[in-house]
Amino acid sequence: MPKSSTVFTWPEQGVTRVPYRVYDDPAIFEREQSLLFRGPTWNYLGLDCEIPGAGDYKLNFVGATPVILCRDENGEVHAMVNRCAHRGSLLCIEKQGNREQFSCVYHNWSYNLRGDLTSVAFKRGVRGKGGMPADFDNAKHGLERLRVASFNGIHFGTFSAATPPIEQYLGPVMSAYLKRAYNRPMKVIGAHSQYLKNNWKLVMENVRDPYHASILHLFFGSFGLSRQTMKGEALLDDSGWHHIVYTKRGTDDIRGSEYEGNKLPNMKSHLKLNDPKILEEWPEFPDGITNMVQTVFPAVTFQQISNCLGVRHIVPRGPHECEWFWTLLGYEDDEPWQTKIRARQANLIGPAGFISLEDGAVTNFVQRGIQGGKPDAMAVVELGGSSIASGEDRVTEAPIRGFWKGYREVMGI
Amino acid sequence: MSTDKTEARLRVEDLLREYAACIDDGRYEEWPAMFTEECRYLIIPKESHERGYVSGFYLCESRGMLSDRILCLRETAIYESQQYRHIVGGTRVLEHTDSGCRAETPFAVIRTTQDGAMALFAAGKYVDEVIFEGERALFREKLVLTDSTRIDILIAAPL
Ligand code: FES
Ligand SMILES: [Fe+2]
């Protein structure tokens, strides 16, 4: 595939086509860092329950940029770039912990929990020799800070002054669905990552793609966990940037549908689990939703698979690699049996998940498949026409088109 | 019959050798029979385990759930074929009685994919609770604690 530093024009068919070079071109990757991740977007940083006390911090990334999320002495949450303002060393190495301040190991510049530079080693030199110039002003050399928005215990950060307030960014529908699960104190019950050999946007398309769920993930269809015949919706906010796809199990009648009598080539409904404990669940949400995936543009997904709650956050690691961070959650007030059920259901998701193991495989297949193609080769994203609108039918690629709409807007292509 | 520590270690080592060979040879259907009917098999990063997290990559709480992992591996999972090679290190017996023992054993797994690429896929330690039933030894609990919190793309077969 040709590498180019010039900006290209998007195909005239709009978001029903995606040029393969967006998954491959290092120049595009660089532009994403400045225009998208440093642009007018709210980026996932972490959860309240990960930094409950004063001085607690957690490391994360916004695009490729390393950031620190921390809580100060007054309980306020801050985010700053994890990069010393002196000569650029990572300031904090351990992923998570508690600090009174952040001190750089290289030359001991120190910063408070708000990112202000508080001390410079040998600032006045040694025995009157050397040191910083007399007019060196600590106040001008703090860490680069992000604006933080906290939404029901979920912390987002932005580098841009132009990013609208979080509720406005999410819109009323997305806000309401986020508040639905993030309605009281949570606790982490699992945390790990998957290193994927593909561009990060392939992952974002994958989570916004209800088309593949009952096809690629044979487990879903074979054990009746999710079928297109079940009640559900594919929702987009007005901007199209964010999405939700949900289904309600126990709401369909497959008679007369493509699912009846094993007509679909991939259905293996003769399979029986030896120990169906893994599918044990309890009705947790009054709306009856049993399976929900919600994304907040650009790079985070919130999921509810039965009682398995979690956040998945994508961190680009170059044009052809990315890291997919999974944080599995329960509520602080969970009974032990509830934690047990959530942990068991976690078998469904993650790098070894019955309904997600395949995702890392196929996104890698795409990355390999597009190598060496025609310069203008592109993906066809036309299921459900060209609409970028909500609907009850989930045989649609509308949420993917919504992603590309947002992407084109912030990237100016 | 009283089991001394050395004898306990030898029995765990035998079991682990059979365990590794069974997975590396792709004889997955024989894998669940190495556990007791009621059992616990958990693959989880060491760091998560130390933090008290309960969710990892695989969690099976009965022989039936182990069998379901294999059923799905054969019937529903879609991935590129791959080969594991387990290198199992020296076993340390932590506690032992006549009827069983607890032991720790370091392991490494090399994964070879069909394009020929070979890489260290996982390293960590097994923390095993093994029971002795006559001539047989079975896992009652097997914790697979991985040194890394990160998995390269996916885990299909058990570690
Ligand atoms: S790079 Fe941090 S103090 Fe010099
Ligand atoms: Fe999927």
Side-chain angles (χ1 to χ4, degrees):
Chain A
M1 198 154 291
K3 311 288 187 227
S4 161
S5 55
T6 55
V7 186
F8 65 101
T9 36
W10 198 272
E12 60 187 19
Q13 299 95 323
V15 292
T16 62
R17 294 292 182 277
V18 181
Y20 289 139
R21 64 189 287 184
V22 299
Y23 309 112
D24 194 54
D25 187 339
I28 292 174
F29 181 83
E30 288 309 320
R31 285 181 74 83
E32 286 170 359
Q33 300 310 313
S34 52
L35 297 178
L36 195 147
F37 292 110
R38 298 186 64 93
T41 54
W42 282 112
N43 294 275
Y44 176 75
L45 298 173
L47 303 169
D48 246 354
C49 61
E50 295 175 292
I51 48 163
D56 287 348
Y57 78 90
K58 179 208 156 175
L59 301 185
N60 204 338
F61 296 84
V62 170
T65 306
V67 297
I68 303 172
L69 176 73
C70 71
R71 190 181 295 276
D72 72 15
E73 304 81 357
N74 307 319
E76 234 177 280
V77 175
H78 304 276
M80 46 253 187
V81 174
N82 184 12
R83 178 189 300 139
C84 181
H86 177 219
R87 273 164 45 201
S89 169
L90 274 181
L91 192 56
C92 195
I93 313 296
E94 271 172 66
K95 288 188 267 193
Q96 216 171 329
N98 184 281
R99 293 287 163 86
E100 277 173 17
Q101 58 167 14
F102 295 101
S103 293
C104 181
V105 292
Y106 203 174
H107 315 92
N108 206 28
W109 285 28
S110 296
Y111 307 85
N112 64 21
L113 299 172
R114 286 166 292 285
D116 308 314
L117 178 62
T118 49
S119 79
V120 169
F122 304 135
K123 189 175 181 184
R124 296 284 161 251
V126 174
R127 295 196 173 126
K129 295 212 170 74
M132 298 300 277
D135 63 351
F136 182 82
D137 183 1
N138 283 10
K140 293 197 176 109
H141 297 272
L143 300 175
E144 184 183 3
R145 301 193 41 166
L146 291 85
R147 260 197 307 140
V148 174
S150 301
F151 186 91
N152 281 43
I154 309 168
H155 304 295
F156 295 92
T158 185
F159 283 107
S160 166
T163 318
I166 187 77
E167 292 246 7
Q168 191 184 326
Y169 183 80
L170 293 169
V173 176
M174 298 296 136
S175 295
Y177 275 94
L178 258 192
K179 285 178 185 166
R180 166 186 176 273
Y182 294 81
N183 58 3
R184 61 189 193 277
M186 307 202 87
K187 66 174 178 201
V188 177
I189 63 166
H192 42 253
S193 72
Q194 248 175 305
Y195 203 85
L196 300 172
K197 309 292 172 59
N198 54 256
N199 186 273
W200 68 276
K201 299 186 291 301
L202 288 168
V203 181
M204 283 297 111
E205 286 186 306
N206 177 267
V207 289
R208 298 171 73 121
D209 173 16
Y211 189 14
H212 84 282
S214 71
I215 300 176
L216 173 67
H217 304 302
L218 303 189
F219 187 94
F220 251 143
S222 300
F223 299 106
L225 256 63
S226 179
R227 287 185 289 256
Q228 294 281 4
T229 43
M230 291 169 182
K231 281 214 171 69
E233 282 183 294
L235 302 173
L236 290 144
D237 70 307
D238 289 339
S239 71
W241 288 23
H242 323 294
H243 105 291
I244 291 169
V245 168
Y246 73 79
T247 50
K248 299 181 179 183
R249 194 157 46 257
T251 55
D252 66 337
D253 180 353
I254 62 170
R255 283 173 300 176
S257 81
E258 284 69 11
Y259 288 89
E260 192 184 4
N262 267 332
K263 268 183 289 189
L264 292 180
N266 58 318
M267 287 276 291
K268 296 193 175 179
S269 48
H270 61 280
L271 294 180
K272 288 268 170 307
L273 290 173
N274 295 289
D275 187 347
K277 258 208 298 286
I278 185 180
L279 302 181
E280 252 173 37
E281 61 184 330
W282 81 95
E284 185 161 13
F285 297 98
D287 55 19
I289 292 176
T290 53
N291 196 336
M292 180 168 92
V293 168
Q294 171 169 16
T295 61
V296 173
F297 187 83
V300 70
T301 301
F302 301 89
Q303 65 149 62
Q304 177 223 329
I305 311 292
S306 297
N307 310 102
C308 180
L309 307 174
V311 183
R312 318 173 190 174
H313 175 216
I314 197 83
V315 174
R317 301 290 196 203
H320 308 131
E321 294 181 10
C322 60
E323 194 166 348
W324 197 206
F325 287 88
W326 297 75
T327 308
L328 304 179
L329 300 167
Y331 295 103
E332 226 170 59
D333 61 11
D334 275 352
E335 300 285 339
W337 65 268
Q338 292 172 312
T339 306
K340 217 173 161 78
I341 288 182
R342 296 193 204 282
R344 236 182 247 146
Q345 291 174 354
N347 278 301
L348 295 169
I349 52 100
F354 288 131
I355 56 169
S356 69
L357 171 150
E358 293 83 10
D359 291 320
V362 291
T363 49
N364 174 254
F365 294 165
V366 175
Q367 191 74 42
R368 285 150 67 186
I370 64 171
Q371 295 305 305
K374 283 193 300 186
D376 57 352
M378 49 197 171
V380 178
V381 189
E382 232 173 271
L383 196 74
S386 58
S387 103
I388 308 179
S390 300
E392 286 201 2
D393 121 59
R394 281 146 292 134
V395 195
T396 180
E397 287 170 322
I400 299 179
R401 288 187 287 274
F403 175 84
W404 291 111
K405 176 179 177 285
Y407 185 84
R408 292 186 62 189
E409 285 165 5
V410 293
M411 292 284 286
I413 48 177
Chain B
M1 184 184 84
S2 102
T3 311
D4 69 18
K5 195 171 177 182
T6 306
E7 196 184 324
R9 176 170 57 77
L10 290 172
R11 296 191 74 169
V12 174
E13 284 176 351
D14 274 352
L15 179 62
L16 285 168
R17 280 170 200 181
E18 291 306 321
Y19 175 92
C22 161
I23 296 170
D24 293 354
D25 294 347
R27 291 181 279 113
Y28 302 136
E29 282 69 15
E30 296 172 27
W31 176 69
M34 299 185 154
F35 292 78
T36 54
E37 181 56 52
E38 292 273 299
C39 58
R40 185 157 174 264
Y41 174 78
L42 174 65
I43 310 178
I44 190 168
K46 179 165 132 289
E47 185 181 306
S48 294
H49 187 62
E50 284 165 0
R51 284 184 192 280
Y53 298 166
V54 289
S55 272
F57 304 117
Y58 254 61
L59 170 62
C60 300
E61 293 172 318
S62 67
R63 202 184 272 163
M65 286 175 85
L66 295 164
S67 300
D68 291 333
R69 272 284 172 184
I70 302 309
L71 174 75
C72 293
L73 189 63
R74 296 284 194 207
E75 299 285 344
T76 68
I78 294 172
Y79 61 100
E80 208 168 351
S81 68
Q82 45 184 252
Q83 165 76 48
Y84 284 173
R85 189 62 59 195
H86 279 75
I87 310 293
V88 175
T91 296
R92 287 165 57 230
V93 171
L94 307 174
E95 284 167 52
H96 66 103
T97 65
D98 286 354
S99 56
C101 72
R102 276 192 356 105
E104 267 189 25
T105 310
F107 71 89
V109 176
I110 296 156
R111 185 174 65 178
T112 304
T113 41
Q114 56 162 7
D115 57 2
M118 260 185 193
L120 183 61
F121 177 56
K125 67 178 177 183
Y126 294 132
V127 181
D128 297 319
E129 193 183 314
V130 174
I131 62 145
F132 305 140
E133 268 181 3
E135 288 301 291
R136 300 200 317 156
L138 297 168
F139 295 111
R140 184 154 59 197
E141 180 174 79
K142 187 171 189 68
L143 296 178
V144 182
L145 304 181
T146 57
D147 289 344
S148 177
T149 53
R150 180 166 115 177
I151 292 296
D152 186 71
I153 303 187
L154 58 87
I155 309 183
L159 291 177

